[in-house]
Amino acid sequence: MSEPKEYDVLVIVTPQDFQRTIYGRKRLIECLPVRRVVFVGNDELGCLIKEENLGDKVRFLNENDLIRFDSVYSVVEDVMSDFLKGRKLPRGVVGWYYQQFLKMEYARHCTDEYYLVWDGDTVPTKELTMFAEDRVTPFLDVKQEYHAEYFDTLYKILPGFKKVIGPSFISEHMLINCEIMKAMLDDIENDYKITRKVCEVQFYEAIIRRINAEKMQDASFSEFETYGTYVALKYPGKYRLREWHSFRLGAEFFHPEAMSESDYEWLAKDFQAISFEKNQSVREDHENLFNNKEYQNKISARRMLEIAQEEFTEGYKEEWNTFSDDAIVTDRENVLKAYDAGQNQDWAAMYKAIELGLKDNFKNYELYILLGEYYLLTEGNVNKSYLCYENALHYCSDANDRKQIEGMISGLSEQYDITVKPLSFVIVSWNNRDIMEDCIRSIRRTVPLSAREIIVVDNASTDGITEWLKGQLDVRLICNVENVGFGEGSNQGLEIVSECNDIFFLNNDTIVTPNAVFWLRMALYDSDSDYVAAGCCTNYEGSKQPPIQMFDTLQEYLRFADINNVLMDDPYDERKWLSGFALAFRRIVLDEIGGFDLRYGMGYFEDTDLCERARRAGCVLRMCKNSYIYHYGSKSFGLQYEKATELVLTNRQRFIDKWGYDPYA
């Protein structure tokens, strides 16, 4: 059955990605129900398309005929000028937004009623239709995904608009009604003109100027979520929602050039498309897995992916109908119980309701607000109250509620002397690029930007991680010409920590789990004393902090973190020493005792020595049981086992010589 409307598909692609996705291009052209495939890019892309001679169904459109890249670049650069501090703005930061703006601007040039936007790295597994059975109503395809920052921006550019459906409109494609898109662009521009009192503005400038500079690098806008939400609120009868499934991590399981027609037929039973994202390749343990004909005859693609995803710790996961009405009801009941108990000044009941509620859902921001009120009213601890409000803001995606929380934080700061300081992460890096990148990303996911500073000291890495770190605008980087070890590297980072910040020494072979840093900071501010250090529990450490529970897979450890990092009655154990893999100090402590003692060279016992000095200066050392951070262990030391063992024995003796006793005795 042919499509009831004639329309084109728009594919925004760089020359590099165009060449990388050559193996799926035939299916893209043949399987999409469109009149023409319009590739949009620069002059180099135009030459490549001409050379390939892809046939009459393919067209090329120069991106600058829609929006000039330099125009978008100049706006982003202006918005980020204070944040950049003279540094060159990476083109990649602009490219993310530029591609989305091109897809939106095309509505003002298109002469059809609809056009389809399709990601260039995505290949259809079968022939598709974009209209419902009535051949009149188009589909809006949805998946199970959520990014709060997209809706933060949406509320700013279209006040009053917020997330209205459980699923996400991010599905690697979208059928767009030109008139609706043009109306949305007009609304974005007109609101900006009225509020900023300007005569002329392009929609992309109105969007960019409403994104905070420090969030620009975090991909804070989605054209799909914006358009989909706009349609859902203003034109709810125009579209029908359809659940869509694409095999997004195709490049981790398939070599695209080796895929057969039977592979696509097998995938098509569960997935409408497969994506081959750049910077992904087939891992050794994924070879001959999804393309194994014996497996394909026994198990579906969906079930095989579900099994494989049990081992995933980072990145996207394909999900099927995960939104539960029962869970939403339970969340509301927990909040109401805590609120009612607080109104009756039944503090024990209030605390218990919050505790149980956070065990059900550790992301419930309303419970953190109530917890902040609890600490303020029962303990008078304004610092812990502040931290709870800050964590509530971190988890809150509702624009109106965010404004209320920001007002609560502002009011608390005006009324009381808040002494909470941001936390400076001091990380020493040596190779292990993938692990280092995961560490940085885990910090970004779990710690509010306003509460953190990331400082990395790279010890002459050779695997490309240094270049990656140089491109991260929220990372302050020191590059050493040789490997100076953990202690000296940490001291270098300590020297550039922003004034007054607390300090968190963190190994790069770690994954920071949700709420781990929140509860760690709560431990730092749980008393009137400024002389506090706090450490995390983990899976790999040793005698200082024995692992609290052991599992077989990383995924199990991360699930344990979700259960563990919650409100506890007795969260701290006072210790003689804490492990340096994840060790936080109030600033005043290190101002007095200094950093690591360099007599311990490349490492081992330097953290024990630091804790000894801190304790003798009157510092309380707390092991925070509800702050769990995953630790790979021994990934970055760079020593052979025999040399490491020798260094342990040597530094143990150095500690004994300095302090007069054996810490292992």
Side-chain angles (χ1 to χ4, degrees):
M1 184 182 294
S2 61
E3 206 75 327
K5 304 279 186 179
E6 277 202 332
Y7 56 91
D8 294 338
V9 61
L10 203 68
V11 183
I12 316 291
V13 66
T14 65
Q16 295 76 20
D17 287 343
F18 182 79
Q19 292 175 309
R20 182 177 58 82
T21 57
I22 187 172
Y23 301 103
R25 198 164 301 137
K26 181 179 178 182
R27 295 189 67 85
L28 182 74
I29 295 171
E30 292 179 352
C31 293
L32 292 182
V34 297
R35 179 203 302 127
R36 290 175 300 224
V37 178
V38 181
F39 288 101
V40 180
N42 59 20
D43 290 334
E44 183 183 350
L45 176 67
C47 292
L48 290 173
I49 291 173
K50 186 175 181 179
E51 290 172 3
E52 285 202 25
N53 191 22
L54 296 172
D56 295 337
K57 196 175 179 180
V58 173
R59 295 285 188 274
F60 166 71
L61 176 61
N62 193 298
E63 59 190 29
N64 286 318
D65 290 339
L66 295 175
I67 304 173
R68 294 191 61 81
F69 179 86
D70 291 344
S71 299
V72 179
Y73 186 96
S74 64
V75 178
V76 176
E77 188 176 45
D78 182 52
V79 170
M80 298 186 70
S81 58
D82 291 341
F83 187 73
L84 289 167
K85 296 179 180 178
R87 291 174 292 180
K88 182 73 173 176
L89 174 66
R91 290 178 66 87
V93 175
V94 181
W96 165 268
Y97 299 97
Y98 181 58
Q99 289 202 5
Q100 297 182 75
F101 298 152
L102 291 172
K103 299 172 192 176
M104 299 165 75
E105 172 66 22
Y106 187 72
R108 290 174 166 172
H109 301 255
C110 182
T111 57
D112 295 320
E113 184 177 359
Y114 296 96
Y115 63 99
L116 177 65
V117 172
W118 189 272
D119 284 3
D121 59 8
T122 300
V123 180
T125 60
K126 55 187 174 184
E127 292 187 6
L128 302 168
T129 178
M130 301 307 298
F131 284 83
E133 296 82 359
D134 62 7
R135 294 176 51 77
V136 174
T137 309
F139 284 120
L140 266 182
D141 294 323
V142 295
K143 301 185 74 172
Q144 308 297 337
E145 190 170 349
Y146 177 67
H147 299 277
E149 58 272 20
Y150 295 161
F151 293 94
D152 292 343
T153 303
L154 171 61
Y155 182 81
K156 293 175 183 176
I157 62 175
L158 292 168
F161 283 73
K162 62 180 181 178
K163 187 172 179 61
V164 289
I165 67 168
S168 165
F169 293 106
I170 302 172
S171 55
E172 299 89 52
H173 74 285
M174 180 168 276
L175 184 64
I176 292 173
N177 180 299
C178 291
E179 292 305 314
I180 295 177
M181 176 61 84
K182 286 189 287 187
M184 187 184 81
L185 299 185
D186 289 344
D187 285 350
I188 292 172
E189 291 174 351
N190 289 333
D191 180 78
Y192 190 86
K193 291 176 186 176
I194 293 170
T195 56
R196 299 297 177 93
K197 298 180 180 179
V198 297
C199 295
E200 294 297 330
V201 69
Q202 296 296 319
F203 74 90
Y204 58 82
E205 181 174 2
I207 293 171
I208 292 169
R209 293 198 180 279
R210 280 175 162 155
I211 300 174
N212 292 335
E214 63 270 18
K215 292 186 177 182
M216 194 71 70
Q217 193 179 9
D218 294 333
S220 295
F221 173 75
S222 166
E223 82 284 29
F224 289 160
E225 291 286 35
T226 302
Y227 177 79
T229 303
Y230 186 85
V231 170
L233 282 170
K234 295 198 69 172
Y235 305 91
K238 283 279 190 178
Y239 281 81
R240 183 186 299 180
L241 297 182
R242 173 176 62 177
E243 189 172 35
W244 178 275
H245 292 286
S246 57
F247 197 110
R248 188 175 292 186
L249 300 180
E252 288 196 7
F253 295 94
F254 288 97
H255 297 287
E257 70 277 11
M259 286 191 68
S260 64
E261 187 62 33
S262 63
D263 290 331
Y264 283 110
E265 290 175 358
W266 176 68
L267 285 167
K269 295 174 183 178
D270 294 302
F271 299 93
Q272 287 97 331
I274 180 172
S275 296
F276 299 97
E277 297 186 2
K278 61 183 177 183
N279 301 324
Q280 291 181 359
S281 59
V282 179
R283 292 172 16 184
E284 185 176 349
D285 57 335
H286 289 170
E287 286 281 2
N288 196 31
L289 183 62
F290 277 75
N291 62 342
N292 187 306
K293 303 305 177 188
E294 184 177 348
Y295 293 162
Q296 290 180 3
N297 290 331
K298 295 179 179 179
I299 190 170
S300 69
R302 169 180 171 173
R303 183 58 191 140
M304 193 178 291
L305 181 61
E306 287 175 331
I307 294 170
Q309 287 183 163
E310 291 178 1
E311 303 300 319
F312 287 9
T313 59
E314 299 293 324
Y316 174 80
K317 291 185 181 181
E318 187 70 21
E319 298 181 10
W320 283 263
N321 258 340
T322 58
F323 289 88
S324 167
D325 291 337
D326 291 341
I328 295 172
V329 171
T330 300
D331 253 6
R332 295 306 310 153
E333 289 177 347
N334 289 331
V335 170
L336 290 174
K337 285 179 183 178
Y339 176 79
D340 289 342
Q343 289 293 98
N344 295 324
Q345 297 187 12
D346 187 347
W347 307 123
M350 182 183 186
Y351 180 92
K352 195 64 179 177
I354 295 171
E355 181 183 31
L356 294 175
L358 290 177
K359 286 180 179 178
D360 285 336
N361 178 12
F362 67 83
K363 298 180 180 180
N364 188 323
Y365 66 91
E366 292 176 288
L367 290 174
Y368 291 109
I369 295 173
L370 291 169
L371 185 61
E373 294 177 359
Y374 170 85
Y375 285 126
L376 185 64
L377 295 171
T378 62
E379 299 181 5
N381 192 321
V382 296
N383 287 324
K384 288 171 68 176
S385 180
Y386 176 91
L387 288 168
C388 289
Y389 293 161
E390 185 182 62
N391 209 43
L393 190 64
H394 174 64
Y395 283 118
C396 179
S397 60
D398 184 275
N400 289 325
D401 286 354
R402 286 183 64 85
K403 284 189 174 182
Q404 292 183 26
I405 299 170
E406 289 169 351
M408 295 171 71
I409 291 173
S410 177
L412 194 70
S413 300
E414 291 173 2
Q415 189 173 357
Y416 300 98
D417 181 21
I418 307 295
T419 59
V420 172
K421 304 300 180 186
L423 193 63
S424 291
F425 290 75
V426 177
I427 306 171
V428 176
S429 167
W430 187 78
N431 291 330
N432 291 301
R433 173 173 177 167
D434 291 343
I435 290 176
M436 180 76 245
E437 289 184 14
D438 285 347
C439 178
I440 298 294
R441 292 188 180 111
S442 71
I443 295 170
R444 289 171 175 162
R445 282 195 306 272
T446 59
V447 185
L449 180 64
S450 60
R452 61 170 161 85
E453 174 183 57
I454 303 175
I455 295 171
V456 178
V457 180
D458 186 76
N459 271 335
S461 296
T462 57
D463 66 347
I465 184 58
T466 312
E467 287 68 31
W468 183 84
L469 288 167
K470 288 178 180 177
Q472 308 308 301
L473 296 179
D474 60 344
V475 173
R476 299 179 64 190
L477 180 63
I478 296 174
C479 296
N480 287 328
V481 296
E482 61 180 350
N483 189 347
V484 299
F486 175 78
E488 185 172 349
S490 296
N491 286 353
Q492 287 177 294
L494 185 60
E495 290 177 0
I496 67 167
V497 165
S498 292
E499 187 177 0
C500 297
N501 278 15
D502 294 327
I503 294 95
F504 187 28
F505 297 113
L506 181 69
N507 279 21
N508 72 327
D509 57 342
T510 55
I511 294 176
V512 179
T513 59
N515 283 331
V517 171
F518 166 66
W519 294 115
L520 189 75
R521 296 176 76 207
M522 292 286 278
L524 290 179
Y525 289 90
D526 195 50
S527 63
D528 293 334
S529 174
D530 294 335
Y531 282 75
V532 183
C536 304
C537 56
T538 187
N539 53 291
Y540 177 97
E541 194 39 55
S543 59
K544 296 191 198 76
Q545 290 161 223
I548 57 178
Q549 191 147 350
M550 298 300 291
F551 298 101
D552 295 324
T553 67
L554 175 56
Q555 185 62 35
E556 289 175 299
Y557 282 114
L558 298 183
R559 287 174 183 165
F560 170 76
D562 290 347
I563 298 169
N564 180 80
N565 297 352
V566 294
L567 185 62
M568 288 185 183
D569 289 338
D570 184 25
Y572 314 128
D573 283 343
E574 194 167 326
R575 294 291 177 87
K576 195 173 183 180
W577 308 295
L578 296 169
S579 171
F581 96 96
L583 180 54
F585 285 92
R586 292 285 293 273
R587 177 61 175 259
I588 193 172
V589 179
L590 295 183
D591 282 346
E592 180 172 330
I593 69 172
F596 291 100
D597 189 333
L598 299 185
R599 77 181 67 197
Y600 298 99
M602 292 294 291
Y604 294 122
F605 286 91
E606 76 285 354
D607 53 349
T608 311
D609 179 276
L610 187 65
C611 288
E612 181 75 19
R613 287 154 48 210
R615 191 165 46 80
R616 293 187 181 217
C619 181
V620 175
L621 305 180
R622 291 179 176 142
M623 207 285 280
C624 190
K625 292 181 288 187
N626 59 351
S627 175
Y628 177 91
I629 288 180
Y630 181 80
H631 187 198
Y632 286 98
S634 301
K635 292 290 185 182
S636 301
F637 204 81
L639 295 173
Q640 296 177 350
Y641 176 78
E642 294 79 6
K643 291 183 178 179
T645 302
E646 179 182 347
L647 187 55
V648 168
L649 295 174
T650 299
N651 281 351
R652 178 181 178 183
Q653 188 59 50
R654 286 172 173 154
F655 185 93
I656 294 170
D657 293 341
K658 179 177 179 179
W659 296 107
Y661 74 95
D662 186 350
Y664 283 176

